[in-house]
């Protein structure tokens, strides 16, 4: 076996994907963009016939949802969903402590209090820890479907029904995924999606919500458009609109996603198998409710003890050199995140007890801390790797394991 690539040897592969590519439709993106341009009307006005209206219809149908509404970002999709459900000042909202800062920002930006709950070996919220976080002020739960796993929606919905709580699914990572054959984002009161550049279905920036309630749909439409009343529903707000050009691109991205989602699911299962065949690493638990897994990143857990204590970052770098892809760790848990410090912002200085309640350092999240330290995460482009080549990932990990002493010696 050759020396490790990061120590100057030959890598296991310089092309993990072979000839395989994930399906894209730039032709349709261009076509719809031109259609929008030629129409001369470039906004998301409800009842119009532009790209925004068309995308909303197609996106709802693809997700088995009654309604879909576009908004300007994934962060605001969560925020508007919470406000449409009547959540605001002083209310508590439960969410996992391991997520992008947006999930919690959406809560503090409506003067509510984010309550962090630890995650489990799916990287999603641990349902066993939710009930003890519920108080008389709790109004909602935001399960975040992180990377290529889904939160346990059966248990979360059971708890929400028992305590009369609303559920807003944060689906920023999981366009096209399915839970018990239902489109993700249709199980709670709202599903909130991001269409920001790094996401598998994106328009540079953008967001959307799915809902099964006509009343809630019209509230979102009012909220995104300055609190106007397009029906009996209106909610005071500023502007959170998106342009028809973004919707045009999303239509092309959705067309590609129709073909891509089953491929990502199949390839993701093969990548999981590659991890379960490799030493000193562990795949994330995949819940039975997941009937199609489509995610934003591929993640697994590394055990430094099986590598003589080799630091996770050294393992990630060695693996990157063997297969020619980048690997990082998860987001920092929110109580360690450099991008989550709401207690320092004047807007949030409502009173001393509120400021205390939103101070991230009040939380202890041992599981989130542990997985942050030793997770190995690659961007969703890895899902292009076909099952016939996923053994290369196992080969790379076996090679690193066999030559761990060389890495340990080099690290001294
Ligand atoms: C889990 C999660 N929720 C919400 C968001 C917010 O999306 P946006 O960047 O579109 O506001 C992101 C973005 O990365 C995310 O990863």
């Amino acid at each position: 076996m050759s020396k490790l690539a990061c120590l100057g040897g030959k890598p296991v592969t310089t092309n993990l994907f072979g000839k395989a590519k994930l399906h894209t439709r730039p032709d349709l993106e261009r076509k719809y963009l031109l259609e929008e341009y030629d129409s001369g009307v470039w906004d998301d006005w409800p009842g119009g016939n532009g790209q925004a209206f068309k995308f909303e219809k197609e996106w709802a149908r693809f997700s088995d949802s009654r309604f879909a509404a576009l908004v300007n970002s994934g962060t605001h999709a969560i925020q508007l969903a919470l406000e449409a459900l009547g959540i605001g000042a002083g209310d508590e909202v439960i969410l996992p402590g391991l997520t992008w800062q947006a999930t919690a920002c959406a809560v503090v930006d409506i003067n509510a209090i984010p309550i962090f709950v630890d995650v489990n070996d799916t990287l999603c919220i641990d349902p066993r820890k939710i009930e003890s976080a519920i108080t008389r002020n709790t109004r909602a739960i935001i399960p975040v479907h992180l990377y290529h796993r889904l939160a346990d929606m059966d248990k979360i919905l059971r708890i929400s029904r028992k305590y009369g709580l609303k559920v807003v699914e944060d689906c920023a990572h999981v366009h096209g995924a399915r839970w018990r054959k239902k489109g993700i984002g249709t199980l709670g009161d709202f599903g909130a999606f991001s269409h920001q550049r790094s996401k598998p279905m994106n328009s540079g920036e953008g967001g959307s919500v799915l809902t099964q309630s006509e009343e809630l749909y019209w509230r979102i439409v009012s909220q995104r458009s300055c609190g106007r009343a397009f029906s009996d529903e209106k909610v005071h707000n500023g502007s959170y609109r998106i342009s028809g050009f973004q919707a045009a691109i999303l239509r092309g991205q959705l067309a590609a996603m129709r073909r891509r989602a089953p491929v990502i699911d199949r390839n993701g299962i093969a990548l999981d198998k590659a991890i379960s065949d490799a030493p000193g690493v562990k795949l994330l638990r995949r819940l039975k409710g997941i009937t199609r897994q489509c995610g934003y990143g591929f993640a697994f857990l590394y055990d430094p003890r099986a590598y003589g204590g080799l630091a996770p970052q050294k393992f990630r770098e060695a693996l990157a050199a063997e297969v020619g892809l980048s690997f990082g760790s998860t987001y920092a848990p929110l109580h360690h995140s450099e991008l989550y410090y709401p207690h320092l912002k004047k807007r949030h200085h409502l009173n001393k007890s509120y400021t205390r309640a939103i101070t991230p350092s009040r939380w202890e999240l041992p599981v989130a801390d542990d997985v942050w330290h030793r997770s190995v995460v690659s961007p969703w482009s890895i899902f292009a790797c076909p099952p016939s080549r996923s053994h290369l990932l196992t080969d790379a990990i076996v090679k690193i394991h066999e030559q761990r002493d060389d890495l340990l010696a080099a690290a001294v």
Side-chain angles (χ1 to χ4, degrees):
M1 189 178 277
S2 118
K3 228 160 78 166
L4 289 169
C6 66
L7 299 179
K10 203 164 153 282
V12 165
T13 178
T14 51
N15 176 13
L16 183 61
F17 310 150
K19 291 203 171 87
K21 278 198 182 108
L22 288 172
H23 190 61
T24 55
R25 290 306 301 266
D27 56 328
L28 284 181
E29 290 167 12
R30 209 169 289 128
K31 172 176 180 293
Y32 297 143
L33 271 171
L34 286 175
E35 273 179 31
E36 185 73 355
Y37 181 75
D38 290 341
S39 78
V41 182
W42 304 333
D43 64 16
D44 62 358
W45 207 253
N49 200 27
Q51 299 297 317
F53 176 77
K54 288 183 175 149
F55 172 73
E56 287 177 343
K57 288 273 173 242
E58 290 165 1
W59 180 217
R61 205 172 317 125
F62 173 80
S63 309
D64 308 322
S65 181
R66 283 190 71 208
F67 300 97
L70 278 164
V71 294
N72 59 346
S73 74
T75 311
H76 288 147
I78 303 168
Q79 182 182 323
L80 299 192
L82 292 171
E83 285 200 297
L85 293 165
I87 295 162
D91 294 339
E92 292 179 1
V93 177
I94 289 174
L95 58 127
L98 184 71
T99 178
W100 181 238
Q101 53 94 272
T103 320
C105 286
V107 177
V108 283
D109 282 352
I110 59 165
N111 297 348
I113 301 166
I115 302 294
F116 300 160
V117 166
D118 212 347
V119 296
N120 62 19
D121 54 355
T122 66
L123 297 196
C124 301
I125 194 165
D126 186 341
R128 289 173 314 171
K129 296 184 181 150
I130 293 179
E131 284 197 70
S132 59
I134 294 174
T135 71
R136 62 193 162 81
N137 296 323
T138 310
R139 297 287 173 269
I141 307 172
I142 311 181
V144 181
H145 306 300
L146 209 65
Y147 301 112
H148 62 132
R149 288 295 185 256
L150 302 180
D152 191 334
M153 289 309 294
D154 295 354
K155 292 192 178 142
I156 290 165
L157 291 173
R158 216 172 295 136
I159 296 169
S160 73
R161 280 194 290 269
K162 180 169 166 192
Y163 293 90
L165 305 177
K166 304 293 184 192
V167 175
V168 176
E169 296 173 69
D170 182 340
C171 306
H173 286 192
V174 290
H175 314 70
R178 289 180 165 260
W179 178 265
R180 300 203 184 282
K181 301 200 174 150
K182 288 190 181 153
I184 202 69
T186 63
L187 301 138
D189 297 277
F190 277 108
F193 291 80
S194 166
H195 303 299
Q196 174 272 340
R197 178 171 64 97
S198 65
K199 305 300 183 314
M201 223 183 82
N202 84 86
S203 46
E205 296 291 347
S208 63
V209 295
L210 302 178
T211 183
Q212 311 318 305
S213 155
E214 185 163 7
E215 189 180 313
L216 291 177
Y217 166 77
W218 285 114
R219 275 192 215 161
I220 295 287
V221 173
S222 167
Q223 280 171 284
R224 80 176 176 203
S225 193
C226 317
R228 288 184 176 90
F230 295 97
S231 72
D232 293 342
E233 299 298 327
K234 65 173 195 170
V235 184
H236 169 86
N237 224 5
S239 168
Y240 294 80
R241 291 188 301 257
I242 190 169
S243 89
F245 295 117
Q246 286 155 285
I249 293 177
L250 284 173
R251 284 189 76 202
Q253 295 258 320
L254 176 58
M257 183 54 93
R258 285 182 206 286
R259 279 214 8 222
R260 213 159 61 193
V263 173
I264 290 179
D265 187 28
R266 181 200 67 191
N267 293 0
I269 289 169
L271 289 170
D272 274 344
K273 166 89 171 50
I275 295 305
S276 61
D277 289 346
V281 288
K282 199 164 168 239
L283 71 161
L284 304 181
R285 188 156 54 94
R286 176 173 166 141
L287 300 174
K288 290 217 174 67
I290 298 175
T291 46
R292 188 161 75 195
Q293 185 66 75
C294 258
Y296 163 79
F298 176 72
F300 61 92
L301 296 175
Y302 162 73
D303 180 1
R305 288 168 311 182
Y307 287 73
L310 182 75
Q313 186 51 23
K314 293 287 171 201
F315 174 83
R316 293 180 197 113
E317 284 165 14
L319 186 58
E322 294 302 335
V323 300
L325 281 182
S326 67
F327 294 92
S329 61
T330 61
Y331 299 132
L334 292 173
H335 62 316
H336 295 308
S337 170
E338 288 177 1
L339 297 180
Y340 186 67
Y341 43 99
H343 57 305
L344 301 183
K345 188 169 180 175
K346 193 168 177 190
R347 179 208 278 203
H348 300 312
H349 290 178
L350 304 177
N351 56 53
K352 281 212 173 90
S353 91
Y354 184 77
T355 308
R356 230 182 356 258
I358 62 167
T359 300
S361 60
R362 70 181 268 219
W363 300 104
E364 278 183 29
L365 305 162
V367 182
D369 284 347
D370 178 50
V371 297
W372 175 38
H373 175 62
R374 59 192 187 86
S375 56
V376 183
V377 183
S378 81
W380 66 276
S381 55
I382 196 174
F383 293 117
C385 176
S388 60
R389 297 182 72 80
S390 56
H391 67 91
L392 293 170
L393 189 60
T394 317
D395 295 348
I397 297 173
V398 168
K399 182 176 170 191
I400 297 167
H401 189 253
E402 284 178 356
Q403 299 186 43
R404 61 191 179 279
D405 289 343
D406 296 348
L407 271 179
L408 284 162
V412 177

